[in-house]
Amino acid sequence: MNRILSQTKGDRWIWLIVILLSVISALAVYSSTGTLAYKRGVGAESILIKHMAMIFGGIALMYVSHKLDYRYYSGISKVLMMVTIPLLLYTLLFGNHVNDASRWIAIPGTGLTFQTSDLAKLSLITFLARSLSRKQENIKDVKESFMPIMGSVCVVFILIALANLSTALMLFGVSVLLLIIGRISIKQIAVVCLAGAVLLAGVIFLGPRRKTYASRIQTFMHPSKVDRDKSFQSDHAKIAIATGGIFGKGPGNSTERNYLPHPYSDFIYATIIEEYGLIGGFSLVLIYLFLLYRCIKIVTKAPKAFGALLAAGLSFSLTIQAFANMAVAVGLGPVTGVPLPLVSMGGTSILFTSVAFGIILSVSRHIDEYEDNRKVVIGEIREKEVAA
């Protein structure tokens, strides 16, 4: 055990948060997949085993990602962007269609699907961190700095938004936050927001899923005026939360898991509250808030702009996604397909989330090494001063 701990570097609290969220995920997924297992004709244990394999695979990727010096991700980001944009185009044209949305592509020979927006989030955030850190000296130059940054944000946004508007909006929000941190002028940020608003209006009113978006907004704004079938998910999520009470029904005692279409992914937070009560739900909120706090500490301590921007972008992305999922579950937002990071059952989402955690830990590891080296140098200087 000591040998394993000695090999893991970076913020120990983030490692603990990852382990804690993984345990919560295993308990919640096992409890909420009974109906899914019945439909597939398998035992719930087999689904749990596959889910645990993804969790352990994610932890392995996180370990590898945190061992790699975060500065290497600057060069990797260019390759990721060159791969991401064609993949997003391919997904829109030839991807697997589920609920009138083309978000996944099949991985040949594995029977698994790959959601390209997960890769796009990681790619765009690392690319923006690289661009903003490298162009700090002429950051206000429109042609050299602003246009390439704006172009990358808008292209990725529109390619994701056509099939997955909620993810695109969250990624756009994170991008704007990075632009603010990266000292882009208010006028230029306003231009980016205006371009995003135009693209958003085009997707909502002219896009292939415009009827779906209109229906979800109408259901959220006026639930009493729509068919009960359209508000089925949100209604049963509210029932789960209301019947959970303060202390919950206990692990494995959820009843709404048998009615909710996706109690193990999109509405797993409602299942957790039903079984563990408001105490369990509030504890999960505190975990994500504490994660954000630890990441902000990393951002403020990072000696280089790239590391600070990288940690900020990835941490904002994870926490915004978490609170978006929880907001939908408790009825504070229209229904979306956003998973709860490291808790919802999923494949590529768990793996890419784990890589994001690994990159944050890589920045944290570099800070620790930087401070250790600084202490050694200061000690040597003091020794020389005493000797003199």
Side-chain angles (χ1 to χ4, degrees), residues 18 31 50 55 81 83 102 107-108 113 115 176 201 209 221 238-239 265 325 332 363 365 377:
V18 169
S31 174
K50 290 181 180 179
I55 289 177
M81 284 297 291
V83 172
S102 181
I107 302 176
T113 55
Q115 190 164 347
V176 171
R209 304 193 71 209
M221 298 297 294
K238 293 174 184 176
I239 292 171
S265 56
N325 176 279
L332 295 178
V363 177
R365 179 174 68 88
V377 171

Side-chain angles (χ1 to χ4, degrees), residues 121-135:
K121 287 187 288 186
L122 190 64
S123 302
L124 182 60
I125 290 171
T126 53
F127 181 77
L128 283 179
R130 176 185 187 275
S131 300
L132 290 169
S133 62
R134 283 177 170 247
K135 298 179 179 181

Side-chain angles (χ1 to χ4, degrees), residues 21 38 55 94 99 156 182 214 324 335 345 359:
L21 290 176
Y38 176 78
I55 289 177
F94 307 107
N99 296 328
V156 173
V335 174
M345 187 178 79
I359 295 173

Side-chain angles (χ1 to χ4, degrees), residues 284-312:
L284 196 55
V285 170
L286 290 178
I287 290 172
Y288 283 110
L289 285 175
F290 186 62
L291 168 65
L292 181 60
Y293 167 72
R294 297 305 304 178
C295 290
I296 289 175
K297 288 199 70 174
I298 293 172
V299 172
T300 57
K301 290 182 178 181
K304 300 291 184 180
F306 176 65
L309 291 166
L310 194 58

Side-chain angles (χ1 to χ4, degrees), residues 23-37 44-45 47-48 51 249-258 263-264 268 270-276 345:
V23 171
I24 294 172
S25 176
L27 293 173
V29 167
Y30 181 62
S31 174
S32 58
T33 51
T35 303
L36 178 65
E45 293 80 7
I47 295 178
L48 176 63
H51 180 63
K249 298 177 179 178
N253 292 325
S254 169
T255 54
E256 293 305 312
R257 63 187 177 185
N258 300 317
Y264 43 83
I268 197 167
T271 306
I272 291 171
I273 294 179
E274 185 180 8
E275 294 187 348
Y276 299 95
M345 187 178 79

Side-chain angles (χ1 to χ4, degrees), residues 196-214:
V198 172
L199 293 175
L200 175 62
V203 170
I204 292 177
F205 295 110
L206 302 174
R209 304 193 71 209
R210 56 188 180 276
K211 293 182 179 179
T212 301
Y213 299 142

